[in-house]
Amino acid sequence: MMKGYWIGRVDVTNPDAYQNYVKANAVPFAKYGARFLVRGGAYRVGEGEARARNVVIEFPSYEAALECWDSPEYQAAKAERDGHAVADIIIIEGYEGPQPG
């Protein structure tokens, strides 16, 4: 079973209100087995455009990643973020095929 990932790029416009989202998303993330691989941190733009905050969240499966996004718990958490951040988020299936070298 392929792992699933959320890849997010976020510009927070209201840091105080955004903290309500951070607190609220803990419940669905725990329920669906989410694990942060990237959560903010230093970065360099190699090409294209970036937002101020970057996040990569791993799930045990692509299905779990989709179920988390669609869950009432996450949608309630997302409602806490709406209006306080601009985000680009994709949900993507992992890759376990051949690697270079």
Side-chain angles (χ1 to χ4, degrees):
M1 182 178 312
M2 299 290 216
K3 290 187 177 186
Y5 298 87
W6 288 13
I7 301 173
R9 303 174 328 123
V10 182
D11 286 331
V12 176
T13 56
N14 184 340
D16 293 334
Y18 187 81
Q19 290 308 307
N20 294 327
Y21 164 71
V22 172
K23 291 174 190 167
N25 71 27
V27 171
F29 286 170
K31 179 178 178 179
Y32 292 95
R35 184 171 81 99
F36 282 92
L37 301 179
V38 175
R39 191 173 193 180
Y43 68 92
R44 182 180 106 183
V45 177
E47 186 174 341
E49 297 179 23
R51 294 196 181 273
R53 184 168 176 79
N54 301 286
V55 180
V56 177
I57 305 170
E58 180 182 72
F59 290 83
S61 67
Y62 179 61
E63 291 75 18
L66 293 172
E67 289 170 7
C68 184
W69 180 268
D70 293 334
S71 72
E73 298 94 341
Y74 183 73
Q75 290 304 309
K78 183 184 171 301
E80 294 287 342
R81 186 189 76 211
D82 291 346
H84 305 296
V86 178
D88 300 315
I89 299 174
I90 64 166
I91 303 165
I92 190 166
E93 185 177 53
Y95 175 74
E96 294 183 7
Q99 298 293 330

